[in-house]
Amino acid sequence: MKQNKTLFMVEIAIFAALALLLDFLSGLLMGRFWPQGGSISLAMVPVFLMAFRWGIKGGVLTGLLLGGLQILTGAVPFHFASWIIDYFVAFAVVGLAGIYMKKVVQNYQDGQFAKANMYVISGVFLGSFLRFLCHYLSGIVLFGAYAPADQPVAIYSLVYNGTYMLPTFIVCALVVVMLYTTANKVLLKKAY
């Protein structure tokens, strides 16, 4: 039992650090075009892997740690509430993709890859959408002053956050599906 808890905590730390590294590398490769933050990034991939490996608890804790690490390594939020919404909460809710863990594991183990991939994509969509909602609400409440005078704040936040979250969802879904399709025996190892 103690060994499983140790493995769980170590994997959270490693995957959160990997997520931070992927976010940094994504920023270097794809640039940061959005003036108030946001980028097309692979940072959510390790959070999804933990969510499908350990369930909601593993995913949420990995996302929460990732949000904290981003703040510690130089993310400069516009407002204190932005630390909470755009970092801690936004990345923690990505881990709710773990709701699909049992379906993902069972279908890969049964050799039903198409069905398993559907559940992986559903989980990635759920986590990405919930993260988008956090940024969208933050955009309305905290960043509304940046909206053009003739544009409603809700539309501004939708367009601003959608332009990086939609591509991020697509890229993360492709990467996670490719990882599970090629290495599911390693990723689905029963760690609990």
Side-chain angles (χ1 to χ4, degrees), residues 102-147:
K102 289 181 182 175
K103 298 281 189 185
V104 169
V105 170
Q106 189 62 50
N107 283 292
Y108 275 118
Q109 288 176 342
D110 292 345
Q112 297 182 354
F113 294 134
K115 198 171 182 181
N117 289 339
M118 181 197 69
Y119 284 113
V120 166
I121 292 169
S122 297
V124 173
F125 177 77
L126 174 67
S128 299
F129 181 72
L130 292 173
R131 179 180 163 204
F132 164 77
L133 283 180
C134 290
H135 296 313
Y136 173 71
L137 293 174
S138 173
I140 291 172
V141 175
L142 301 174
F143 295 94
Y146 293 102

Side-chain angles (χ1 to χ4, degrees), residues 58 61 89 139 170-171:
L61 289 174
V89 176
I170 293 168
V171 170

Side-chain angles (χ1 to χ4, degrees), residues 8-108:
F8 176 68
M9 292 186 308
V10 167
E11 285 189 13
I12 287 172
I14 290 170
F15 277 74
L18 178 61
L20 185 66
L21 177 63
L22 287 172
D23 190 43
F24 176 73
L25 291 175
S26 297
L28 289 177
L29 295 174
M30 296 182 201
R32 303 220 183 251
F33 302 111
W34 292 265
Q36 285 85 43
S39 65
I40 299 170
S41 172
L42 294 173
M44 294 190 301
V45 169
V47 179
F48 289 126
L49 296 177
M50 284 298 288
F52 297 138
R53 182 171 170 85
W54 289 95
I56 293 172
K57 185 177 179 181
V60 168
L61 289 174
T62 304
L64 194 62
L65 183 56
L66 170 60
L69 287 172
Q70 287 180 323
I71 291 170
L72 289 174
T73 58
V76 182
F78 171 73
H79 188 278
F80 178 75
S82 180
W83 276 2
I84 295 167
I85 298 168
D86 289 320
Y87 291 94
F88 290 114
V89 176
F91 286 99
V93 297
V94 170
L96 294 176
I99 197 167
Y100 291 100
M101 179 192 78
K102 289 181 182 175
K103 298 281 189 185
V104 169
V105 170
Q106 189 62 50
N107 283 292
Y108 275 118

Side-chain angles (χ1 to χ4, degrees), residues 11 15 49 53 179-180 182-191:
E11 285 189 13
F15 277 74
L49 296 177
R53 182 171 170 85
L179 286 170
Y180 272 102
T182 58
N184 63 65
K185 286 183 173 53
V186 173
L187 295 171
L188 297 177
K189 178 182 171 192
K190 287 281 187 182

Side-chain angles (χ1 to χ4, degrees), residues 1-11 54 57 191:
M1 185 70 164
K2 185 177 180 181
Q3 195 173 25
N4 283 339
K5 285 183 180 179
T6 302
L7 179 62
F8 176 68
M9 292 186 308
V10 167
E11 285 189 13
W54 289 95
K57 185 177 179 181

